[in-house]
Amino acid sequence: MRILTVIFFMLFLASANAQDDDQHVYTNPRTNEIYIISGKDTVNLTKIIKEYKPLPPRWKRINKAGLNISEIAFVNWSAGGNNSISGLSNAQFERNYKHEKVQWNNEMIMRYGLNVQEGQKVRKTEDAFAINSTLGFRMDNLSNWYFSAKANFNTQFANGYKYPDTDNPISRFMAPGYFLFGFGSEYSPEGKDFKLYISPITQKSTFVLDQDLADAGSFGVKKATYDADGNKISDGQKVVTELGFLVTNSYQTKIYENMFLSNRITLYSDYLNSFGNIDVNWLLDVELKVNEYVVANVGTQLIYDNDVKFEETELASGEKITYGPRVQFKQSLGVGVIYNF
C-alpha cells in the first residue's frame, strides 16, 4: 500500500512539472514583442489581449442601390395640370484595395431615370454607366503621392432623343462611348476622402458605333462623304483617338449633421487638336440623410465638350446647320430610399 501511495505521488508531481513547462511563444504582430506563456502564467496573456488590435482589412467594399420616386396627380383640379410620375434608380459599387505601398480603387456607377406624363410618351431623364479604375504605387509608406495608371469608361444604356421627336435617336449605347487611359500621379492623403490625379499623357477614345450617327459626324468623329447627287462615298468614322492632358479631382465631406457633399470634376485637353480648349465634366451632389434608408439628394452636372455640336434650322431654306459647342447643365432634386449591402 505504501509503495502504491509513493508511486501515485511521484506521478502527480511529474504531471504538475510537465504542465508548468508547457510553454508557448507568441509574437504581437503590431509591436513585434515576444511573450512566453506557461500553463500558470496569466499576466502576459492579459497584456496581450489588451494590446492586440486587428490589422485593417486590405479590401474595402461599398454596395449601394437607391430609388427616387416623385408623383403628382389631379382630380377635378381647377388650376389644371397633368398627372405625372418620375423614377430614378441608381447603384454604386466599389472595390478598393490598400496595403503598404500599393492601392487599387475600382468603381462602377449606374443611373437610369424615366418620366411618365399624361398625354406624352415615356421620356428618359437620366442615363449613365461608368467604370473607373486606378492603380497606384508610392515610394514609401509616409508619402501621399502615388505613381498611378487610370482607366475610365463611360456610355449610356438606352437611346436618347430630342423630344418630342422619338423617331430619330441622337445617341445610343456606345454612341457615344468614351474610354480614357493614361499614366500620372495621384495625391491621396491618409484618412481623407480626397483624390487629385494629374496625368500628362492620357489617351481618349470616342466610340460612335451607330453608323447613322457616325455618318452625321456626331461627337467629333469624321463624318461620311457624299457626291453631288447625295450618294455616300465613304462611311463615317466610328472611332476617334486623342492624346492629351487629364486632371481629375474627387472628394466627399460632411457639411452638417447628416448632410454630405460629394464633388467630382474631370478636365481634359487634347494636344493635337485645339490644345488649350478644355473639356469639362463636373458633378456636385448634396445628400441629406434622414435615417439609414431614407435620403434626399440635390445634384447638378455641368458638361462642356468641344466635340458635341447642336443643330438649328434656318427659316429661309430649312437647311440644318451645326453650331456649338455649348455649356450643358442639369439639376436634379429627389427623395427616396437607399440600401447598403
Side-chain angles (χ1 to χ4, degrees):
M1 186 67 180
R2 290 181 179 179
I3 295 176
L4 292 176
T5 303
V6 172
I7 293 174
F8 179 81
F9 183 73
M10 292 178 64
L11 291 175
F12 176 79
L13 291 178
S15 176
N17 290 333
Q19 185 176 0
D20 290 343
D21 292 337
D22 185 15
Q23 297 178 339
H24 301 277
V25 178
Y26 174 83
T27 303
N28 190 322
R30 299 185 64 85
T31 63
N32 292 324
E33 294 184 26
I34 299 175
Y35 303 94
I36 300 176
I37 307 173
S38 65
K40 62 179 182 179
D41 190 356
T42 60
V43 177
N44 286 338
L45 181 59
T46 304
K47 185 178 180 181
I48 291 170
I49 294 174
K50 290 182 178 179
E51 290 187 358
Y52 178 74
K53 295 180 181 179
L55 295 174
R58 298 183 183 181
W59 283 96
K60 291 185 179 180
R61 61 180 62 190
I62 295 176
N63 300 311
K64 289 183 179 179
L67 178 64
N68 294 345
I69 296 178
S70 61
E71 181 265 349
I72 185 168
F74 302 95
V75 177
N76 300 323
W77 193 253
S78 62
N82 292 331
N83 300 333
S84 67
I85 183 171
S86 298
L88 172 63
S89 60
N90 59 85
Q92 180 179 355
F93 304 96
E94 293 186 22
R95 297 294 183 270
N96 301 323
Y97 174 87
K98 190 168 187 177
H99 180 60
E100 295 182 351
K101 300 178 182 179
V102 178
Q103 71 173 9
W104 184 23
N105 298 322
N106 302 278
E107 179 185 48
M108 181 168 66
I109 299 173
M110 296 179 288
R111 296 193 304 271
Y112 192 76
L114 293 173
N115 173 263
V116 181
Q117 191 170 145
E118 184 180 10
Q120 295 182 353
K121 294 182 178 180
V122 177
R123 297 188 175 189
K124 183 174 67 173
T125 59
E126 182 75 39
D127 192 355
F129 176 65
I131 297 176
N132 304 304
S133 182
T134 305
L135 177 63
F137 173 81
R138 58 183 175 181
M139 299 301 295
D140 60 77
N141 293 335
L142 299 178
S143 176
N144 291 322
W145 285 95
Y146 291 80
F147 297 102
S148 300
K150 177 183 283 290
N152 171 264
F153 171 74
N154 286 277
T155 188
Q156 61 190 52
F157 290 104
N159 293 351
Y161 299 95
K162 188 176 181 179
Y163 297 106
D165 181 9
T166 57
D167 296 325
N168 302 298
I170 59 174
S171 62
R172 294 178 180 269
F173 175 75
M174 288 300 294
Y178 299 101
F179 178 73
L180 290 87
F181 179 76
F183 299 92
S185 183
E186 183 177 67
Y187 178 69
S188 179
E190 295 284 347
K192 296 182 180 180
D193 199 346
F194 178 93
K195 292 180 175 61
L196 174 64
Y197 175 79
I198 302 174
S199 170
I201 303 176
T202 294
Q203 175 184 297
K204 177 183 178 182
S205 297
T206 303
F207 300 88
V208 182
L209 301 188
D210 180 86
Q211 192 60 61
D212 291 336
L213 293 175
D215 290 344
S218 302
F219 309 105
V221 299
K222 184 178 179 180
K223 62 183 179 180
T225 56
Y226 299 87
D227 60 18
D229 297 326
N231 300 313
K232 185 166 64 173
I233 300 174
S234 62
D235 290 335
Q237 189 179 20
K238 290 187 176 182
V239 182
V240 60
T241 301
E242 302 170 282
L243 184 66
F245 187 89
L246 175 69
V247 176
T248 67
N249 172 241
S250 66
Y251 71 89
Q252 293 182 351
T253 185
K254 182 177 180 180
I255 305 176
Y256 297 108
E257 189 68 26
N258 296 331
M259 182 181 291
F260 304 90
L261 173 69
S262 175
N263 177 80
R264 294 168 178 262
I265 187 168
T266 300
L267 308 174
Y268 180 83
S269 182
D270 179 39
Y271 287 133
L272 305 179
N273 301 309
S274 303
F275 178 69
N277 183 83
I278 300 176
D279 294 338
V280 181
N281 189 354
W282 183 18
L283 295 95
L284 187 65
D285 291 291
V286 177
E287 180 181 280
L288 296 91
K289 191 172 183 179
V290 179
N291 55 41
E292 185 179 358
Y293 300 105
V294 180
V295 296
N297 297 91
V298 180
T300 62
Q301 183 174 10
L302 185 148
I303 296 177
Y304 179 84
D305 191 337
N306 191 55
D307 296 324
V308 178
K309 310 297 183 182
F310 295 83
E311 289 188 350
E312 65 179 351
T313 302
E314 292 183 344
L315 298 178
S317 61
E319 179 185 2
K320 291 184 177 181
I321 60 173
T322 58
Y323 66 96
R326 285 185 171 182
V327 174
Q328 306 171 57
F329 183 78
K330 179 179 65 176
Q331 184 272 329
S332 62
L333 171 64
V335 179
V337 295
I338 190 168
Y339 179 62
N340 295 276
F341 58 97

